[in-house]
Amino acid sequence: MSLRISIRKRFFIGITAAVCISLVGHPAQRTQESAHVVFADAAEAGGFTSGQRVTIQQKTALFINALSKNSNLTKLKVSYYGTKGETLRLTSVKGELALIKSDSRGDLWLPTWYVSKEATQSKEISPVSLQMRSSGSLFLAPGSGLKWPVTVSGTSLTAVAQWKDWYGVLLSPSIWMEDNQGYLPIMMWVQGKDIISKKTMPDGILDGNSEVSTDVVRSVTEFLFKKGTTSAYVKKLLGEPQVRETSRNQEYDSNKPMILGETWRYELRDVFFTTTFSPSGKLTASEWVSPARSNFSVLPPQKTIEAEPDWRNQGNLNFTFLLEANEDVLLLKGDDGGYSGMHDNSSLYAIDRRTGKKLWQEDAGFGWYTAVTDKEREHVTMFSAYNPEVKDYVARVRHIRLSDGKVLWEVKPKNEFGLTMTAAQATVVLDEPLDLNVTQSVLSVLDQETGKLRWKKTLSGEHRLLNQSTDDPYVLIEQNGRLDAYDPVTGKAAWNIKFGNKVMDDPNRNPYFTGGYRYDPVAPADMTTRWMLLGKEWVLLNTETGEREGVYPAREMERFEVLNEQYLLVQRALNGKYFSGATAYESVLYDRLEDKEIWTVNGKAARGVIEGERVYLTLNGIPAAVDKESGSVIWKMETTSKASDDLSHLVASSYGILDSYLILSLGSDLVVLNKEDGRSLGRLHNVITGNVDLREQYARNGALNVTDHEVLVGTVNGAFIRYDAEELKARLDELL
């Protein structure tokens, strides 16, 4: 999964995945190379040759170009470090630099001093502030013939390494991030004779009272922190963090138990720094967050809101989504978030709504499962294709009591592959293929209470079941340009409508689709009348009578969300051949009763919810409020993103409205906005959120749900959290 890969890669190669501190660039200054070369090893004398395998003895920057006396040291755009103990093969040697090639990092230049015998005597030291003579020089390595005036970086430098009477000092890049690429500080060397004074850097340089510049702190952490650095060292150097939280899952193998460590947040001025530790207190990741020169950051940066939840349930799989709820029980989906082919585990489990205690759990392994509840939400019927207890495919349909997990009946279909399950009034509907090509299938309608067969029907060729829940009055089968409704008790046809051939595939069958209806597990809407794709039109169909109550043209380049019975929020692609492949979009509010488009805005408008005269939505992923009648933007959350950026992937929930506040999962944070003006109040403490491919509808429906009494939140580190709505509101009121 991309989240796991990016965290691992970010640490090992030192790329800062978030956003950066703005620095003043320094113009390149030309110097004369020293006529007297006292290089500390034999590189220039042929000590290193092409094809030679070498080992790095001290951490060093790897440069995209060979350095010269004209190189601007603050604009070298270094993205990779060579680490101590790393073995490399030299492709070619040019003076004091060697070219190395790799598939993952490309062509890079390595100062050969760092692979010499002399470099073994260098050592990292606690940061020391040096005051330099303006006549001093910065050297590529101790005694190097390649040097620059010390004034290119000012005369105050920070040393983090020492070799004899030489000190390795850090130079920050003029730009920390550009076009999603992070850049790193480099280390150059100064001679002891050019140092006027030395001062050990004080402890606690991020404690809020430090006079050390954030730029210097960032360079120090980027260079000194590595995998395995102890939390004690980090705390001594940086000070006590403002916030401590449970980390993301640190176990990348989803077949193994989760590993949750601790994440520290240093929240200062306009910049944040996070460090994540293993349960044993060893550093596993770090990240700088700042609005300056970033692709996306909320303005001002999201400070943490301390708010105690009513309870916090810790599950055993990364992602948690609410599926259904009754007064006493919450039914959840647990998921490892893996892609197809890497998906190892999923689960169905129940939590006591008052206490947060887990009542029961059924595991489905790497097989997919489907779960439908009865009308009273007292039982759930679960179809699963794989049984992890026997480590084999075993198709099972089980009817489970929500309160205690007791299996009341079980049916074992013959085929594990391709079976789909849905529900109609008081029934469970199974569509079981008879062959892998699905040329024929058997439709079996079971009594929901007993599991006994009511009736069955053989279907040939392509068809669709359009049922959504046990609230549907009939079994709905669409085939060959016709929709038939069958009585769930007798199997007799009740009504049918004809509509002709389809003009596009139903986007509801695309796992990446996030449109259509938003299902609210805590307050399910009446879906007796709903929009369906039938032939060349979207039809607002009354499933009781088969009557059409509205139509909207089916267009390949459009998708829409159903806001309520009157309004559709339509996304329209403006170029390309397919909706998902476009680079430009506009969005339309369509009034079904008036049969007209009310307004149009540029970009993708999504996650819409109507309250009064406003539509709260996201525009290309950025929270906004739009006037319902005119479409004018009332406010748009202030960020560092460009108007053309599409950041829709950052939105991982629907809006939750809590009185005067909007709550939304945005990136890794559950953010709180002032509903009136869109001002961000911050992020809720110890709630780690995020999106995951192929679970978009689960996230839209069940990652965040708000009622008059509670706020229910799913996370990406296995937790499911309940806040008392009144207590959370009172805490937020204190921030206004």
Side-chain angles (χ1 to χ4, degrees):
M1 190 177 115
S2 59
L3 273 174
R4 301 188 295 219
I5 294 170
S6 64
I7 291 172
R8 185 185 303 174
K9 184 175 181 182
R10 178 171 61 236
F11 181 83
F12 281 108
I13 68 178
I15 290 180
T16 302
V19 283
C20 315
I21 305 165
S22 176
L23 301 178
V24 178
H26 299 281
Q29 299 189 30
R30 301 193 175 195
T31 67
Q32 296 295 320
E33 289 188 80
S34 172
H36 178 58
V37 178
V38 289
F39 194 56
D41 68 15
E44 74 283 1
F48 294 98
T49 60
S50 300
Q52 183 177 353
R53 292 191 69 82
V54 295
T55 300
I56 295 176
Q57 305 299 333
Q58 167 67 273
K59 187 174 186 176
T60 179
L62 302 176
F63 304 100
I64 58 175
N65 296 303
L67 302 190
S68 73
K69 62 183 180 181
N70 296 324
S71 298
N72 187 325
L73 298 185
T74 66
K75 296 183 178 180
L76 297 179
K77 296 186 176 181
V78 169
S79 295
Y80 299 97
Y81 285 135
T83 57
K84 184 176 181 179
E86 182 180 356
T87 300
L88 302 168
R89 187 181 297 278
L90 307 183
T91 301
S92 62
V93 179
K94 180 182 178 181
E96 301 176 26
L97 293 153
L99 178 66
I100 57 174
K101 293 177 177 284
S102 74
D103 293 336
S104 60
R105 298 185 294 195
D107 294 356
L108 296 168
W109 291 88
L110 164 75
T112 52
W113 182 84
Y114 288 90
V115 296
S116 70
K117 290 186 297 182
E118 300 288 342
T120 60
Q121 300 174 40
S122 66
K123 60 182 179 180
E124 289 186 357
I125 60 174
S126 297
V128 176
S129 297
L130 305 180
Q131 193 65 35
M132 305 296 300
R133 301 183 193 279
S134 59
S135 59
S137 297
L138 293 162
F139 293 80
L140 177 65
S144 171
L146 195 54
K147 63 180 182 177
W148 299 262
V150 74
T151 51
V152 299
S153 292
T155 56
S156 180
L157 298 171
T158 302
V160 293
Q162 185 176 2
W163 181 84
K164 297 183 179 178
D165 192 33
W166 291 78
Y167 290 85
V169 295
L170 297 177
L171 278 67
S172 303
S174 59
I175 296 177
W176 287 96
M177 176 170 279
E178 185 177 45
D179 297 330
N180 282 328
Q181 180 64 59
Y183 300 129
L184 299 167
I186 63 171
M187 186 167 71
M188 292 290 164
W189 293 82
V190 297
Q191 287 180 282
K193 68 181 182 64
D194 290 331
I195 299 172
I196 298 174
S197 65
K198 306 174 190 175
K199 183 180 179 181
T200 301
M201 188 173 288
D203 294 340
I205 56 178
L206 275 183
D207 65 3
N209 299 314
S210 173
E211 295 180 357
V212 180
S213 73
T214 309
D215 179 47
V216 169
V217 178
R218 176 163 188 171
S219 289
V220 167
T221 59
E222 292 282 18
F223 196 86
L224 291 183
F225 288 1
K226 51 186 174 290
K227 185 177 181 181
T229 297
T230 66
S231 58
Y233 177 77
V234 173
K235 184 178 178 181
K236 182 177 185 298
L237 183 63
L238 302 184
E240 181 68 30
Q242 282 73 42
V243 178
R244 293 174 182 246
E245 297 182 325
T246 305
S247 76
R248 291 174 178 268
N249 181 19
Q250 299 180 36
E251 175 54 68
Y252 303 122
D253 186 342
S254 55
N255 259 325
K256 295 180 180 179
M258 294 176 68
I259 298 176
L260 300 177
E262 189 172 62
T263 295
W264 296 0
R265 288 175 62 92
Y266 293 87
E267 299 184 347
L268 300 171
R269 300 181 293 276
D270 63 343
V271 60
F272 299 157
F273 180 57
T274 65
T275 56
T276 297
F277 302 96
S278 68
S280 62
K282 300 298 178 63
L283 187 70
T284 58
S286 62
E287 180 177 40
W288 281 90
V289 181
S290 166
R293 289 190 177 93
S294 70
N295 293 306
F296 172 78
S297 181
V298 177
L299 294 174
Q302 304 278 7
K303 288 203 171 182
T304 299
I305 302 169
E306 297 284 349
E308 281 299 314
D310 194 25
W311 50 254
R312 180 185 181 98
N313 174 276
Q314 182 60 52
N316 66 332
L317 296 176
N318 290 355
F319 294 86
T320 59
F321 307 107
L322 181 62
L323 295 179
E324 297 283 357
N326 62 33
E327 289 185 0
D328 302 314
V329 180
L330 302 175
L331 184 67
L332 272 68
K333 174 180 175 63
D335 201 286
D336 63 13
Y339 292 111
S340 175
M342 292 188 287
H343 174 74
D344 293 311
N345 289 291
S346 58
S347 64
L348 180 71
Y349 64 107
I351 292 176
D352 186 289
R353 194 166 181 171
R354 287 180 291 273
T355 66
K357 179 183 177 182
K358 185 168 73 173
L359 301 172
W360 55 268
Q361 179 169 322
E362 292 289 342
D363 294 323
F366 54 73
W368 213 249
Y369 75 77
T370 308
V372 294
T373 56
D374 55 14
K375 194 175 185 66
E376 295 76 23
R377 272 70 179 169
E378 296 293 337
H379 305 86
V380 60
T381 306
M382 177 185 186
F383 162 70
S384 56
Y386 183 80
N387 185 346
E389 291 184 359
V390 299
K391 298 181 179 180
D392 199 3
Y393 284 96
V394 179
R396 294 179 294 170
V397 178
R398 288 168 289 167
H399 192 63
I400 304 168
R401 189 160 58 204
L402 285 184
S403 60
D404 58 9
K406 182 177 181 179
V407 177
L408 301 180
W409 57 260
E410 180 175 343
V411 171
K412 294 184 177 179
K414 294 180 181 179
N415 296 318
E416 307 90 8
F417 303 102
L419 185 146
T420 59
M421 181 183 77
T422 184
Q425 186 175 22
T427 60
V428 175
V429 183
L430 306 179
D431 189 6
E432 186 177 359
L434 296 179
D435 55 70
L436 292 177
N437 296 322
V438 199
T439 56
Q440 276 196 329
S441 65
V442 173
L443 188 76
S444 301
V445 180
L446 311 180
D447 183 277
Q448 197 166 48
E449 186 175 347
T450 65
K452 293 182 179 179
L453 180 68
R454 286 186 173 180
W455 54 273
K456 65 170 54 179
K457 182 179 180 64
T458 301
L459 299 170
S460 299
E462 184 179 352
H463 61 276
R464 288 190 302 161
L465 287 179
L466 298 185
N467 290 78
Q468 290 202 335
S469 73
T470 191
D471 295 327
D472 284 338
Y474 298 105
V475 178
L476 304 172
I477 304 174
E478 180 256 317
Q479 189 175 31
N480 299 325
R482 171 172 156 162
L483 177 62
D484 289 280
Y486 296 92
D487 187 290
V489 176
T490 65
K492 293 182 178 180
W495 52 259
N496 68 74
I497 58 173
K498 297 180 180 180
F499 43 80
N501 296 328
K502 66 180 182 180
V503 296
M504 60 181 284
D505 291 331
D506 191 340
N508 284 289
R509 307 187 84 174
N510 185 331
Y512 290 102
F513 178 60
T514 57
Y517 289 89
R518 189 253 166 143
Y519 179 77
D520 186 351
V522 295
D526 180 7
M527 298 285 285
T528 303
T529 300
R530 66 174 182 268
W531 291 95
M532 299 179 183
L533 179 61
L534 300 176
K536 63 181 181 180
E537 294 176 322
W538 288 95
V539 177
L540 186 61
L541 187 72
N542 186 314
T543 57
E544 285 273 9
T545 64
E547 295 178 357
R548 304 169 188 249
E549 298 187 5
V551 295
Y552 183 83
R555 300 186 179 106
E556 177 60 45
M557 303 302 281
E558 289 185 354
R559 302 288 184 268
F560 63 75
E561 296 178 9
V562 182
L563 301 187
N564 57 29
E565 291 184 355
Q566 182 174 356
Y567 295 106
L568 303 179
L569 184 61
V570 182
Q571 297 177 348
R572 182 176 293 153
L574 300 178
N575 57 21
K577 294 183 179 180
Y578 304 100
F579 177 84
S580 60
T583 58
Y585 296 85
E586 66 180 15
S587 299
V588 174
L589 184 67
Y590 171 76
D591 186 328
R592 190 265 303 181
L593 297 179
E594 298 290 334
D595 189 21
K596 67 178 183 180
E597 297 179 359
I598 305 300
W599 46 255
T600 302
V601 295
N602 293 327
K604 284 184 185 176
R607 307 295 168 116
V609 57
I610 294 178
E611 186 186 52
E613 296 305 310
R614 290 185 177 187
V615 183
Y616 298 106
L617 43 74
T618 60
L619 284 174
N620 289 338
I622 306 302
V626 175
D627 184 271
K628 187 178 72 174
E629 298 302 322
S630 67
S632 61
V633 177
I634 300 169
W635 56 256
K636 186 177 180 182
M637 188 180 73
E638 189 176 1
T639 72
T640 58
S641 63
K642 295 181 244 181
S644 58
D645 292 341
D646 186 358
L647 301 171
S648 302
H649 63 282
L650 295 178
V651 183
S653 75
S654 295
Y655 276 109
I657 300 179
L658 181 65
D659 195 45
S660 301
Y661 308 101
L662 296 174
I663 307 175
L664 184 71
S665 171
L666 191 62
S668 61
D669 298 322
L670 192 65
V671 303
V672 180
L673 306 177
N674 184 324
K675 191 170 68 175
E676 183 61 29
D677 57 16
R679 177 168 54 93
S680 171
L681 302 182
R683 58 183 292 276
L684 289 178
H685 173 246
N686 209 17
V687 183
I688 312 301
T689 65
N691 218 332
V692 56
D693 278 350
L694 303 178
R695 319 293 192 278
E696 277 78 5
Q697 289 288 21
Y698 286 116
R700 182 186 176 208
N701 295 339
L704 173 65
N705 299 91
V706 178
T707 72
D708 292 338
H709 307 291
E710 62 195 343
V711 177
L712 302 169
V713 185
T715 71
V716 301
N717 62 355
F720 194 82
I721 302 166
R722 180 191 189 273
Y723 294 93
D724 179 276
E726 286 301 318
E727 291 180 3
L728 180 57
K729 178 183 172 299
R731 175 70 184 98
L732 298 176
D733 288 343
E734 296 174 2
L735 304 176
L736 291 180

